[in-house]
Amino acid sequence: METLIGTKVLHGSPSYENEETIAKVWIEPEWPDHVTIEFESEFFTRMTKAEMEEFKQDGEVHYKRKFPDGNAFEVMIAK
């Protein structure tokens, strides 16, 4: 996962992505089936390990980010 640090991506709601640079990638103990990605902007997102593998393989992933009060559809595309 460390190989993703410094990767420039487009990230956000589909068709409303922002340019971001990945700063950190880790697995939090309370989210063991997910990968947390923090960007240089200090915004973060969380996706499943399978979704992360899809991103690494295809350079793009569409996923549903889980919030305590609901879900949001997001996309991450390698630049």
Side-chain angles (χ1 to χ4, degrees):
M1 289 188 288
E2 290 80 26
T3 59
L4 294 173
I5 295 171
T7 300
K8 294 190 182 306
V9 299
L10 294 175
H11 174 264
S13 298
S15 300
Y16 296 96
E17 301 92 0
N18 294 304
E19 189 170 314
E20 296 277 11
T21 302
I22 297 174
K24 298 177 188 172
V25 182
W26 73 97
I27 297 171
E28 297 179 61
E30 59 272 11
W31 294 87
D33 297 330
H34 290 74
V35 176
T36 301
I37 302 153
E38 184 176 334
F39 302 105
E40 287 181 354
S41 67
E42 297 185 355
F43 184 81
F44 75 94
T45 191
R46 198 175 282 126
M47 64 180 68
T48 66
K49 291 177 180 178
E51 291 164 335
M52 174 55 79
E53 287 304 314
E54 181 180 339
F55 173 75
K56 287 167 47 178
Q57 187 172 49
D58 300 340
E60 183 172 335
V61 65
H62 295 255
Y63 62 102
K64 194 180 337 179
R65 186 166 94 126
K66 294 167 184 58
F67 290 95
D69 59 349
N71 298 311
F73 289 103
E74 294 189 350
V75 63
M76 191 163 77
I77 304 166
K79 286 192 72 183

